Amino acid sequence: MSPQTPMTMIAETDLIDSIAEAFQYISYYHPPDFVRAMAAAWEREESQGARDAMAQILVNSRMAAMGRRPICQDTGTANVFLAIGQDVRLDLSRPLQEVVDEAVARAYRFDANPLRASIVLDPLGARKNSGDNTPAMLSVEIVPGDRLDVHVSAKGGGSENKAKFAVLNPSASIADWVVETVESLGAGWCPPGILGIGVGGSADKAMALAKKAMNDPIDMADLRRRGPANRTEELRLEIYERVNALGIGAQGLGGVTTVLDVKIRSFPTHAASLPVGLIPNCAATRHLHFTLDGSGPARFTPPDMGDWPEILLERANANARHLDLDALDDEVIASLTPGETLLLSGTLYTGRDAAHKRMVEMLDAGTPLPVDLKGRAIYYVGPVDAVGDEVIGPAGPTTATRMDKFTDRVLAATGLKLMIGKAERGPAAIEAIRHHRAAYLIAVGGAAYLVSKAIEAAKPVAFEDLGMEAIYELRVKDMPVTVAVDVEGNSVHAIGPKRWRRAVTEPA
């Protein structure tokens, strides 16, 4: 910077106001390019189960946008990427991390649209929730220019937990590693979504590149039309075609679309190394970019509601079977078929990781449980707090595999009949389901606001100190689910992808 170059002054309040508003904005507005890409995938989907799942995702997205309530109950880790121009001065009264954390806390505690706080402090100890989703995951770089570029994203735990890293041999195929890795991930990352891939640098650099890549605009349709212009675009196309050929499909139900786009960023690396980071982004992809130039806080324009297709879920649910949760018996459970669509009504209990851990501890100690689960159903969910006249906030399913280690013990001791979550179950859980003649159902990950509208009453009945992980008693009416594992241990997550898997040489 020369002595004559004026500095751009960014006020602390403008930075806080902008980041806080941005996190509120992305909690209920999908990026328009994501909506258009999902709508196009829905239009061309051939698998009815996957098509119905994407319909729920799109309807939920539109409802969330109109109601200004969270798209997903997991309102995510707050990621903030700052690219500070060398001619910018941040007029701050305290460390930058504290400023960003105030913005995040304000966004997540906003009374009109409270967002679920998911960050726990002391990960090696008590893992106490911070209460306001701080601290943010802050990334800062100095770049040329006189502006402050900001990217914010809210990253759900289900997809974040599927992040992978490897150092490949320089001669190895990146595409082979990515395709093999995605095939091993299961459906816990809630496809269809985006793959962010970072190549090069070092271990930390590759993962940072992958995380940033997920914020790049979706342009796969354009790339496929015009063809690749460089090696990066060739690799994007190859991975896109090969991953979709796996047949995983929406929610792992089997279908032609598993990823909407593949984004790659690269960086120079050691001659002996090929670091590769892979981070998937789920069907609740949420991010926003804005620029501050010193003139005040950023202003965000709501998206065009015309981007969302008109979808009538009544048509998709026309052939669904109604199931009374208050009249479950062995005959009813045995009649459920993998891939079958159900509409649930009646009494439903909630319970996630912490509640299951506590229940098993009580069973081991010979202490009666606070709820009678015999002949009942349990929903793996941690809802957002209700506002106004809501019965409950957005209440989509959490990844069921985290409950796998508790499944046999709980089924054996309680007589529980149904479990509802998202994604596949592991071998031990499937064997427990088969042994105890129970069943596992899935709700659509990424349709949390839609699901909440099927809940007519909710009250905490146990473990209230666990916050969103407490056990609630719900009354539901026509809650849409799909049978995932039947009493014989047959899983739709094995049947569906096997049916839709195709050779990569076939046209997409």
Side-chain angles (χ1 to χ4, degrees):
M1 182 186 73
S2 67
Q4 291 77 32
T5 303
M7 295 290 289
T8 298
M9 190 76 70
I10 306 295
E12 180 176 307
T13 55
D14 290 346
L15 182 59
I16 292 172
D17 290 348
S18 301
I19 292 175
E21 179 59 29
F23 275 111
Q24 273 288 307
Y25 184 97
I26 65 174
S27 75
Y28 43 75
Y29 290 142
H30 264 130
D33 60 347
F34 184 88
V35 174
R36 291 191 292 268
M38 183 70 79
W42 169 73
E43 288 279 4
R44 65 175 178 266
E45 183 56 63
E46 300 170 26
S47 163
Q48 191 59 52
R51 183 176 168 84
D52 290 347
M54 283 192 280
Q56 286 193 40
I57 291 168
L58 286 164
V59 170
N60 176 80
S61 176
R62 192 171 192 272
M63 289 173 61
M66 295 177 67
R68 295 201 171 190
R69 292 291 277 137
I71 294 166
C72 181
Q73 80 289 340
D74 185 348
T75 49
T77 299
N79 296 283
V80 178
F81 303 89
L82 300 181
I84 305 173
Q86 63 187 21
D87 297 330
V88 169
R89 178 181 171 187
L90 300 180
D91 187 16
L92 308 181
S93 63
R94 52 198 153 142
L96 181 57
Q97 180 75 53
E98 293 183 12
V99 172
V100 171
D101 286 348
E102 180 179 326
V104 170
R106 182 187 299 179
Y108 278 72
R109 287 178 163 177
F110 184 52
D111 288 342
N113 182 40
L115 309 180
R116 198 184 82 186
S118 299
I119 296 299
V120 295
L121 307 173
D122 186 15
L124 299 179
R127 296 178 66 87
K128 180 181 179 181
N129 197 299
S130 70
D132 57 13
N133 220 50
T134 64
M137 308 301 147
L138 176 61
S139 176
V140 180
E141 60 179 330
I142 305 299
V143 298
D146 60 357
R147 299 290 187 270
L148 172 62
D149 273 329
V150 183
H151 276 94
V152 302
S153 66
K155 189 69 164 55
S159 57
E160 190 76 354
N161 289 346
K162 301 297 185 177
K164 300 294 181 182
F165 170 78
V167 179
L168 306 181
N169 289 327
S171 60
S173 166
I174 294 171
D176 284 353
W177 179 80
V178 170
V179 174
E180 291 167 7
T181 299
V182 172
E183 187 172 19
S184 73
L185 296 183
W189 60 281
C190 283
I194 313 296
L195 295 183
I197 300 170
V199 180
S202 54
D204 55 332
K205 185 69 172 181
M207 295 305 286
L209 290 169
K211 183 61 70 71
K212 289 181 178 180
M214 292 186 299
N215 295 334
D216 292 341
I218 294 175
D219 64 348
M220 182 54 70
D222 177 65
L223 176 56
R224 297 182 76 202
R225 280 192 297 268
R226 64 176 171 79
N230 51 51
R231 176 56 187 145
T232 298
E233 292 185 345
E234 289 175 359
L235 186 58
R236 287 178 59 200
L237 280 171
E238 180 184 355
I239 293 171
Y240 173 85
E241 299 290 352
R242 291 178 61 185
V243 167
N244 282 328
L246 292 173
I248 296 168
Q251 305 293 299
L253 295 170
V256 301
T257 300
T258 301
V259 291
L260 302 174
D261 205 340
V262 176
K263 315 305 295 188
I264 300 175
R265 291 196 182 191
S266 61
F267 195 82
T269 193
H270 192 283
S273 300
L274 184 58
V276 183
L278 168 66
I279 307 178
N281 216 353
C282 64
T285 290
R286 295 157 293 189
H287 61 85
L288 184 66
H289 168 253
F290 61 91
T291 300
L292 296 180
D293 60 8
S295 63
R299 295 287 182 261
F300 308 116
T301 303
D304 182 355
M305 296 304 294
D307 285 333
W308 281 267
E310 290 290 341
I311 299 174
L312 295 177
L313 285 182
E314 291 81 0
R315 185 179 303 165
N317 292 333
N319 297 318
R321 175 180 169 190
H322 291 265
L323 191 68
D324 184 355
L325 294 174
D326 296 319
L328 299 178
D329 57 28
D330 291 343
E331 183 178 354
V332 169
I333 302 302
S335 71
L336 303 179
T337 304
E340 182 182 11
T341 301
L342 305 176
L343 296 175
L344 307 180
S345 297
T347 305
L348 179 62
Y349 290 101
T350 72
R352 286 172 40 120
D353 316 40
H356 275 73
K357 181 175 183 292
R358 191 171 292 183
M359 284 193 293
V360 168
E361 289 171 347
M362 294 177 71
L363 291 171
D364 290 345
T367 304
L369 296 184
V371 291
D372 182 4
L373 296 177
K374 186 175 181 180
R376 291 296 183 181
I378 196 166
Y379 182 29
Y380 304 150
V381 62
V384 176
D385 289 341
V387 297
D389 59 357
E390 287 181 341
V391 169
I392 198 169
T398 197
T399 306
T401 48
R402 298 203 310 276
M403 270 54 71
D404 281 4
K405 66 180 181 179
F406 305 114
T407 300
D408 186 62
R409 185 77 172 93
V410 171
L411 290 178
T414 67
L416 182 72
K417 286 297 181 184
L418 288 178
M419 296 155 286
I420 306 163
K422 73 170 184 179
E424 70 286 343
R425 303 306 296 263
I430 290 177
E431 175 55 27
I433 291 168
R434 186 199 64 78
H435 179 73
H436 297 289
R437 307 289 289 178
Y440 167 60
L441 318 175
I442 57 169
V444 172
Y449 194 47
L450 174 65
V451 171
S452 73
K453 297 307 177 185
I455 300 173
E456 298 183 329
K459 64 178 180 180
V461 291
F463 310 154
E464 291 187 55
D465 61 298
L466 296 180
M468 61 98 172
E469 294 218 48
I471 295 179
Y472 280 75
E473 181 183 286
L474 309 179
R475 293 290 300 176
V476 299
K477 176 69 173 177
D478 292 341
M479 175 180 168
V481 297
T482 300
V483 179
V485 181
D486 68 9
V487 296
E488 301 297 338
N490 299 307
S491 172
V492 73
H493 291 104
I495 298 168
K498 183 178 180 180
R499 177 186 175 192
W500 288 95
R501 190 182 183 104
R502 60 180 172 81
V504 75
T505 53
E506 294 180 17

